[in-house]
Amino acid sequence: MTATRLPVEHVFFDGGQFAQIGKGTRRIMVPFLYLAIKSLYWSRGGTLKKIMWCDDEAIKPYFIAAGKALTYGNMRRQMADSLEDKPFPALPEDLQRRTWFEFGSIEEHLKYRAAVQKAYPQGYYPIFEGCNHMQYQIRDPQGFAAMLVHIIEQNTLLPLTF
């Protein structure tokens, strides 16, 4: 993001992508995650609650489609270049002030919030109470979009809870 010549007005991240997991552990995780996500397709969403902390009917079609489309190679590559166990890259303060890291209160990923806040103290950290961030986006996409617009317009400071 910092090297692009494209103007970046605002950035939104799924906070879970900032989990810090060692390279060896990530390699071991690949076959298990692959089978877990494929199971969403094979079971027509029946395994969703075991994998994503929810069994919301509205989000099942998205995960079934993801399970159908997923290849082992894609999962391996994704795990190889994300969730790295090393310091977060530096972001300029002006970019941090235009960056939101989304966390859901019922997600395991919420535990990474403090590490991300420490690395990017000027960022914004909304927590979606009672759901994970994907549930909120899929259940109420207009409400989610309105919330993002509100945050941007109000330049809301920490802490945020929705």
Side-chain angles (χ1 to χ4, degrees):
M1 283 184 345
T2 59
T4 183
R5 298 202 187 280
L6 298 173
V8 176
E9 199 170 326
H10 297 94
V11 181
F12 298 90
F13 287 109
D14 165 359
Q17 291 303 310
F18 290 85
Q20 295 183 305
I21 301 170
K23 190 175 187 176
T25 303
R26 286 183 281 138
R27 281 188 181 153
I28 293 168
M29 289 172 64
V30 169
F32 298 105
L33 288 174
Y34 173 77
L35 290 173
I37 294 170
K38 282 307 242 189
S39 77
L40 293 168
Y41 170 62
W42 297 327
S43 70
R44 292 189 164 83
T47 58
L48 185 62
K49 184 160 180 74
K50 294 174 184 167
I51 297 169
M52 297 300 299
W53 308 281
C54 69
D55 59 355
D56 192 320
E57 290 297 319
I59 71 172
K60 279 185 182 180
Y62 297 95
F63 286 98
I64 293 168
K68 181 179 181 180
L70 182 67
T71 67
Y72 190 82
N74 285 346
M75 176 57 74
R76 186 177 39 77
R77 282 186 293 280
Q78 180 179 355
M79 291 301 291
D81 70 359
S82 67
L83 306 172
E84 296 184 34
D85 186 19
K86 58 185 178 181
F88 297 123
L91 291 177
E93 281 190 23
D94 67 313
L95 183 57
Q96 288 182 42
R97 284 190 285 274
R98 295 177 283 130
T99 304
W100 281 259
F101 302 87
E102 308 166 10
F103 293 88
S105 67
I106 63 171
E107 294 176 290
E108 278 289 315
H109 298 138
L110 184 61
K111 66 185 174 188
Y112 302 112
R113 185 172 184 251
V116 180
Q117 283 179 309
K118 185 176 178 183
Y120 307 119
Q122 302 300 317
Y124 298 94
Y125 301 88
I127 297 175
F128 306 124
E129 288 294 337
C131 60
N132 69 39
H133 72 283
M134 288 182 286
Q135 275 179 293
Y136 188 48
Q137 291 175 30
I138 293 168
R139 278 186 193 161
D140 184 8
Q142 285 79 22
F144 183 79
M147 180 271 306
L148 295 177
V149 168
H150 173 76
I151 290 171
I152 292 166
E153 288 175 349
Q154 300 300 312
N155 199 19
T156 308
L157 298 176
L158 303 175
L160 297 173
T161 303
F162 297 92

